[in-house]
């Protein structure tokens, strides 16, 4: 009786998690395949305005901590754009990052240095530090705050060649405040894990952001966010980033609470490195999950807020609930798999080898349907942007990885919940320079 009770309970929990996931996934696919192609002009940078203004001044903040392997490349690419001021903030690096930065001599490069003990307090503080410089520098130079556009890219990032053109298209609209660019991995893949990350960011996350554009719940992704300085200063002040480990989504919530929704740019993107190490991948994702949990502190304000629509609140609630839904579903699946294994072991003699093979094949095929659909969309996305496609053999294996990545991510969930419950908020930084 006890075994049946547990089996029933975990089955119900797993079904709830599965239904929620499938509903969200299928909804994003529908918006990607139907709504977006019919309504492209709603997306940031897609509408070419006849009054397109090119007199914007762009400041791009690049946080830097121990980035000697890639920081020079990143700065060189960013400085190649016209009318761009690059603000690199060194957070008391302990390697040769500063030496690499100092090799670049360009009047549009501004090097800021944080010193210990004020340094190493989180990415949000680094970005706010850079923004304070931009505010002062733009005032000294007499720039109109509404013509100053502030962007954030990571130390391993590179903007696509059409980025500034799309941003000019977007910010020509005086009501445009902030947009998040699409994100893509550098295409020189060395491992299947890197291909998976490109599928995830370039296509799966893109589908989610497209749906969020219609529901006005687009989330910032950190890398590739751009905003109009005047609007942000007027609404949330000169320290828009908070101290959550997921600083980008924390800023998203803070913006929504003051009536600003983020737009999404799907036709231009920013490259970043894909991780090559499974261990570092797990650590990175654990930080993101913990950052999601950190944002729960805004839940009371979100519940009481009268300006957000029900759809917007539902979108935020779903995002904040993801770690809980995921860990409950994973634990339930593990326990149900153990129950199934025991039952199969007890009745193995009653099932023929052919029947068992067919059952396993059917279960595997059904479980891979989402992976197959995501891969088809990924191939279409690569073709649209004339991006290099991984070899066919890798793509077939990726179907399984996409479908069963939760096995790896379960460890990220465990780490994140443990750190969150024990109030360990140290920032485990992603190492760059190994994946490309």
């Amino acid at each position: 009786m006890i075994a049946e009770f547990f089996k029933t309970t975990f089955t119900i929990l797993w079904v709830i998690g599965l239904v929620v996931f499938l509903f969200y996934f299928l909804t994003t696919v529908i918006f990607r395949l139907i709504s977006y192609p019919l309504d492209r002009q709603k997306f940031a940078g897609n509408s070419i305005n006849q009054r397109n203004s090119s007199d914007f001044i762009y400041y791009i903040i690049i946080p830097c901590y121990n980035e000697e392997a890639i920081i020079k490349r990143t700065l060189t690419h960013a400085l190649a754009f016209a009318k761009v001021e690059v603000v690199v903030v060194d957070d008391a690096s302990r390697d040769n990052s500063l030496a690499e930065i100092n090799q670049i001599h360009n009047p549009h490069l501004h090097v800021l240095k944080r010193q210990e003990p004020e340094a190493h307090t989180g990415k949000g503080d680094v970005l706010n530090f850079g923004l304070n410089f931009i505010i002062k520098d733009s005032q000294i130079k007499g720039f109109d705050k509404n013509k100053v556009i502030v962007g954030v890219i990571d130390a391993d990032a590179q903007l696509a060649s059409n980025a500034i053109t799309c941003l000019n298209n977007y910010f020509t609209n005086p009501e445009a405040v902030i947009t998040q660019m699409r994100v893509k991995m550098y295409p020189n893949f060395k491992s299947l894990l890197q291909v998976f990350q490109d599928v995830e960011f370039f296509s799966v996350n893109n589908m989610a952001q497209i749906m969020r554009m219609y529901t006005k719940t687009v989330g910032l992704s950190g890398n590739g966010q751009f905003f109009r300085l005047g609007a942000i200063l007027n609404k949330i002040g000169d320290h828009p980033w908070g101290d959550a480990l997921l600083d980008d989504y924390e800023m998203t919530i803070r913006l929504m609470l003051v009536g600003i929704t983020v737009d999404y740019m799907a036709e231009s993107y920013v490259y970043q490195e894909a991780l090559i190490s499974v261990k570092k991948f797990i650590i990175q994702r654990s930080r993101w999950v913990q950052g999601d949990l950190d944002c729960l502190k805004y839940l009371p304000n979100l519940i009481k807020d009268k300006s957000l629509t029900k759809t917007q609140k539902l979108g935020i609630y779903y995002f904040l609930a993801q770690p809980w839904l995921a860990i409950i579903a994973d634990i339930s699946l593990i326990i149900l798999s153990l129950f199934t294994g025991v039952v199969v072991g007890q009745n193995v003699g009653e099932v023929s080898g052919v029947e068992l093979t067919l059952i396993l094949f059917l279960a595997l095929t059904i479980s891979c349907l989402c992976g197959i659909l995501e891969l088809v969309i990924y191939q279409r996305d690569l073709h649209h942007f004339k991006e290099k496609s991984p070899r066919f053999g890798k793509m077939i294996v990726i179907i399984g990885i996409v479908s069963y990545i939760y096995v790896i991510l379960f460890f990220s969930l465990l780490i994140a919940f443990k750190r969150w419950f024990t109030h360990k908020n140290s920032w485990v930084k992603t190492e760059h320079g190994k994946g490309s």
Side-chain angles (χ1 to χ4, degrees):
M1 290 295 293
I2 296 177
E4 284 299 321
F5 170 78
F6 277 107
K7 184 178 178 182
T8 302
T9 301
F10 285 113
T11 299
I12 293 172
L13 291 174
W14 178 73
V15 168
I16 291 173
L18 181 63
V19 169
V20 171
F21 165 76
L22 287 177
F23 175 79
Y24 188 82
F25 173 72
L26 291 174
T27 305
T28 61
V29 171
I30 290 170
F31 274 95
R32 164 64 181 83
L33 297 179
I34 300 176
S35 300
Y36 178 60
L38 295 175
D39 227 357
R40 298 172 72 88
Q41 299 307 311
K42 286 187 176 181
F43 289 79
N46 284 8
S47 178
I48 301 176
N49 197 312
Q50 296 300 319
R51 298 182 298 105
N52 188 307
S53 175
S54 59
D55 60 348
F56 296 111
I57 301 297
Y58 288 89
Y59 284 86
I60 298 178
I61 306 174
I62 302 177
C64 173
Y65 175 63
N66 293 348
E67 303 286 7
E68 63 179 1
I70 44 83
I71 190 62
K72 186 177 178 181
R73 178 194 69 189
T74 301
L75 295 177
T76 301
H77 281 299
L79 289 165
F81 289 97
K83 293 188 177 182
V84 168
E85 304 290 320
V86 177
V87 181
V88 57
V89 184
D90 183 75
D91 197 32
S93 293
R94 297 189 173 99
D95 65 354
N96 293 318
S97 292
L98 274 174
E100 291 291 316
I101 294 169
N102 290 333
Q103 291 181 32
I104 301 176
H105 303 285
N106 190 309
H108 299 291
L109 175 63
H110 310 274
V111 184
L112 310 184
K113 304 172 187 177
R114 299 185 79 213
Q115 304 293 337
E116 296 183 88
E118 287 78 18
H120 306 156
T121 55
K123 186 179 178 181
D125 287 343
V126 173
L127 296 176
N128 287 325
F129 188 84
L131 186 63
N132 285 339
F133 167 81
I134 291 170
I135 294 169
K136 294 174 184 176
D137 189 68
S138 60
Q139 286 177 340
I140 291 171
K141 294 175 179 176
F143 295 148
D144 181 352
K145 287 186 294 187
N146 290 317
K147 291 289 186 179
V148 173
I149 310 301
V150 179
V152 176
I153 66 172
D154 289 341
D156 61 328
Q158 178 182 331
L159 293 170
S161 59
N162 68 339
I164 300 300
T165 300
C166 289
L167 288 167
N168 284 339
N169 290 342
Y170 173 66
F171 285 108
T172 295
N173 179 355
E175 296 182 1
V177 176
I178 182 167
T179 184
Q180 172 62 52
M181 277 186 174
R182 191 174 187 167
V183 179
K184 190 184 186 317
M185 301 297 142
Y186 288 108
N188 47 335
F189 306 118
K190 297 178 181 178
S191 71
L192 290 170
L193 179 62
Q194 290 182 308
V195 180
F196 161 76
Q197 290 167 80
D198 199 41
V199 175
E200 178 189 25
F201 277 81
F202 196 53
S203 291
V204 179
N205 289 356
N206 177 63
M207 288 192 296
Q209 293 281 48
I210 286 173
M211 184 186 71
R212 292 170 185 164
M213 184 68 187
Y214 287 94
T215 57
K216 299 185 183 302
T217 57
V218 171
L220 294 171
S221 302
N223 192 18
Q225 59 183 264
F226 286 82
F227 59 80
R228 195 186 302 272
L229 179 61
I232 294 301
L233 291 179
N234 291 337
K235 285 289 188 175
I236 56 178
D238 58 2
H239 281 68
W241 291 280
D243 58 1
L245 289 177
L246 202 63
D247 56 274
D248 41 24
Y249 198 75
E250 180 178 23
M251 184 175 174
T252 303
I253 294 176
R254 295 178 73 176
L255 288 169
M256 292 181 71
L257 286 171
V258 296
I260 297 176
T261 55
V262 181
D263 290 313
Y264 182 58
M265 185 170 289
E267 292 298 317
S268 186
Y269 43 91
V270 58
Y271 292 98
Q272 68 182 44
E273 282 189 359
L275 293 174
I276 200 168
S277 162
V278 174
K279 179 180 178 181
K280 291 175 182 176
F281 175 79
I282 291 172
I283 292 173
Q284 179 196 64
R285 298 313 167 96
S286 70
R287 186 180 80 239
W288 294 356
V289 173
Q290 188 179 353
D292 192 334
L293 296 170
D294 287 343
C295 291
L296 286 171
K297 63 187 177 184
Y298 290 97
L299 195 56
N301 291 336
L302 289 166
I303 294 172
K304 291 184 294 185
D305 189 271
K306 303 296 183 182
S307 62
L308 294 173
T309 65
K310 291 180 180 178
T311 303
Q312 287 177 310
K313 287 189 175 185
L314 186 62
I316 300 172
Y317 294 158
Y318 174 76
F319 189 90
L320 297 178
Q322 279 184 328
W324 303 91
L325 289 170
I327 198 164
I328 289 172
D330 284 355
I331 291 173
S332 300
L333 183 59
I334 291 170
I335 292 174
L336 290 173
S337 297
L338 292 174
F339 272 114
T340 303
V342 171
V343 172
V344 171
Q346 291 174 343
N347 299 277
V348 68
E350 300 176 13
V351 182
S352 70
V354 174
E355 290 174 328
L356 186 59
T357 301
L358 287 174
I359 291 171
L360 291 174
F361 177 78
L362 183 62
L364 184 65
T365 302
I366 293 173
S367 65
C368 286
L369 287 178
C370 288
I372 293 170
L373 182 56
E374 289 174 3
L375 214 60
V376 170
I377 294 172
Y378 174 61
Q379 285 284 38
R380 288 183 60 179
D381 290 343
L382 293 176
H383 178 73
H384 174 73
F385 289 99
K386 297 180 174 58
E387 286 282 353
K388 180 181 177 182
S389 176
R391 291 199 302 262
F392 179 77
K394 282 187 176 180
M395 300 296 277
I396 295 299
V397 178
I398 282 296
I399 292 174
I401 295 177
V402 170
S403 303
Y404 291 95
I405 193 66
Y406 63 85
V407 176
I408 295 176
L409 294 180
F410 179 66
F411 296 101
S412 297
L413 291 168
L414 294 178
I415 294 170
F417 274 96
K418 179 183 177 182
R419 285 174 55 84
W420 186 65
F421 279 121
T422 55
H423 305 289
K424 293 182 179 178
N425 295 314
S426 58
W427 181 23
V428 184
K429 179 186 170 297
T430 301
E431 184 181 8
H432 297 139
K434 305 293 185 182
S436 64

